[in-house]
Amino acid sequence: MRRPVQELFGDYQNNLYAAAFNVCKNAEDAKDVVQDTFIQYYSLKKDFDSEQHIRAWLFRVAINRAKNMNRTFWRRNKKSLEDYMETLVFETTESEELFETVMKLPNATFEFDSDGNYVISYPLEDGTMGERGGGGIAYERDGSERPLTEDEVLESLNDPEVVYEDDGKVWVYYYDQKIEITDRFEDGVCYVEVSNGDKTLYMTIKYKDGWCSSPHKYQSPASFN
């Protein structure tokens, strides 16, 4: 599937801005991150498997770009939006105008607590506030638990996603990977190893009852939920 960039901009601009700002700590840089993310989506012409896949891709790109913002060499040599737009061919005038106004983002806030939880709040067009949140725990090598740190919460936006389809199939999405695990459950539990080339995660998935991952080993199903 592929959604129009105009729709995605409306749905995700606030969350992407909040995630980027919390990494690069600069409003203008965070705006640049969001605009670059949508430009890359437009340029990629990639078909996605689901809305969850699109969301995971957008957040992965935005957070990686925000991290790059903190590298001095990249900051000194980055292109302006105008220079970048000259390399693109827009299908419609509306698409071009969208990119020219993409930096006009509403304010968003990111709150993090000592228990490893976060809440992103952002204003909606009707004047109300929208929110999304999450958090969790991390497992040490000795099996002990601790709350996620703020950096780990941001990194968790790139975590795998488990999707249960209406036709009964179950998929794991991780970066550009799509893994079907429908027939891999035994007694309601499935173990999956995923890797992005730099990091390997060991996932323990309970059928429609949550999942956890660790870079060290598979966790016991009894240790969560």
Side-chain angles (χ1 to χ4, degrees), residues 5 38-39 42 81 85 90 95-102:
V5 69
F38 284 111
I39 287 172
Y42 179 87
L81 174 61
M85 287 179 63
F90 293 92
S95 295
E96 184 171 5
E97 289 175 350
L98 171 69
F99 285 116
E100 291 177 336
T101 60
V102 74

Side-chain angles (χ1 to χ4, degrees), residues 97 125 136 182 202 209 218 225:
E97 289 175 350
E125 291 183 357
T182 310
Y202 300 92
D209 193 25
Y218 293 113
N225 286 359

